[in-house]
Amino acid sequence: ADILCFTETNLKKGTPDRLINLPGYRFFRSDRTIGRKKSGGGVAIYIRENLQVDKLTIAQQSRSSHVESLWLKVKVDKRRAAILGCIYRPPSTSMSQVSSDYDDIEVQLQTIIAAHSSQKIILAGDLNSDLQTNPSAHRRLQDLQNYGLHNQVNEPTFYRGDTRSLLDVVLMSGELCDDSAKPQCSVETCDFTTHHRRVVVTTNVSRTRAKPMYRTGRNWRALKPDDFIAEIAATNWTAVVRQ
């Protein structure tokens, strides 16, 4: 994988990065500092070292919001980049809490779009917004389509007893989802989680072809000194040499 997003990392301030580093990846984390309780929560992203990454500072917009987020600008090449967000919204069916959380998510998105209007967005995480178990949150999740984001996950990602819920989402800008580069999404059994399953999204991102550079050379083997001196004397050097 080029990018790995994790939610509910449960990392503490005293846990050094060296204990959880993966060879070949850069590691970014945002541990829980606020919320309903101090333990649990947290989000993290691993990104392959061959990709250029800038960490973006997007402050939480509401004190009552329980949303935890981490935003990165991932550079595909020198010309193009994508904005990657990893978000965890703790489970809550309270209308006021759902409203506060999604208001926060939308303001963060608006901030990203205003600052990086030309970049595509990928937002992955656990938003606890299943249609059957939390319809009010699911409606707010659907509203994110107004920002051009489309969820690629269409099957349950959480299994507990007879409960089947779609909690984990991958939202992508519409330009990443057209017929020429439609992402492939699968939900797979994961050995190291109790109830959640792993969401895998594969997409082809074509690189921008570099603009060709032309250089003019001279065949020095066929050089005629007198003609060369005459050419130099007749050349206008004012654009190159300033006195």
Side-chain angles (χ1 to χ4, degrees):
D2 291 305
I3 298 173
L4 300 165
C5 296
F6 290 88
T7 60
E8 296 185 82
T9 57
N10 200 23
L11 296 177
K12 305 295 189 299
K13 184 178 180 180
T15 307
D17 289 353
R18 60 182 173 80
L19 294 182
I20 44 182
N21 278 339
L22 290 178
Y25 289 86
R26 294 179 63 189
F27 179 61
F28 301 86
R29 62 193 274 187
S30 178
D31 303 340
R32 171 172 289 181
T33 56
I34 59 176
R36 298 175 304 165
K37 54 184 180 180
K38 293 182 180 180
S39 63
V43 293
I45 301 175
Y46 291 89
I47 295 190
R48 278 198 183 277
E49 290 179 341
N50 63 334
L51 294 173
Q52 297 183 50
V53 184
D54 294 327
K55 186 175 181 180
L56 305 179
T57 301
I58 307 295
Q60 191 177 47
Q61 304 297 315
S62 171
R63 290 185 178 181
S64 58
S65 170
H66 291 165
V67 167
E68 301 168 26
S69 62
L70 176 61
W71 293 94
L72 305 176
K73 182 178 181 180
V74 183
K75 298 178 182 179
V76 179
D77 52 34
K78 292 183 178 180
R79 292 188 175 187
R80 295 187 307 157
I83 306 300
L84 172 66
C86 183
I87 291 184
Y88 175 60
R89 192 189 81 84
S92 174
T93 57
S94 164
M95 288 292 292
S96 60
Q97 190 60 57
V98 168
S99 178
S100 178
D101 290 346
Y102 270 96
D103 287 349
D104 184 16
I105 293 174
E106 290 201 37
V107 173
Q108 291 190 42
L109 274 172
Q110 292 165 5
T111 303
I112 288 291
I113 293 170
H116 307 276
S117 58
S118 63
Q119 265 84 56
K120 302 173 180 63
I121 296 175
I122 302 173
L123 192 161
D126 180 357
L127 298 186
N128 283 292
S129 301
D130 180 68
L131 174 61
Q132 301 299 323
T133 59
N134 200 342
S136 59
H138 184 75
R139 284 193 295 270
R140 292 299 302 269
L141 173 63
Q142 295 295 98
D143 289 342
L144 297 183
Q145 294 186 57
N146 296 330
Y147 297 92
L149 300 179
H150 303 278
N151 187 18
Q152 304 304 306
V153 188
N154 54 20
E155 59 182 289
T157 63
F158 180 87
Y159 288 71
R160 176 184 287 169
D162 295 331
T163 302
R164 305 285 187 273
S165 304
L166 200 167
L167 303 183
D168 307 280
V169 300
V170 178
L171 307 173
M172 303 176 70
S173 294
E175 298 90 335
L176 294 171
C177 309
D178 57 24
D179 292 337
S180 61
K182 192 171 181 61
Q184 301 297 315
C185 180
S186 61
V187 177
E188 305 172 356
T189 301
C190 189
D191 296 334
F192 56 86
T193 61
T194 307
H195 303 295
H196 284 267
R197 297 199 172 186
R198 177 175 57 233
V199 177
V200 179
V201 174
T202 304
T203 184
N204 294 320
V205 179
S206 59
R207 294 183 179 272
T208 302
R209 178 175 295 178
K211 185 178 180 179
M213 179 182 294
Y214 297 94
R215 290 188 172 91
T216 301
R218 180 184 298 273
N219 183 358
W220 295 100
R221 292 181 179 179
L223 175 68
K224 295 180 179 180
D226 292 340
D227 291 345
F228 179 57
I229 293 172
E231 184 178 342
I232 291 178
T235 299
N236 182 4
W237 294 97
T238 57
V240 181
V241 180
R242 293 183 180 180
Q243 295 181 350

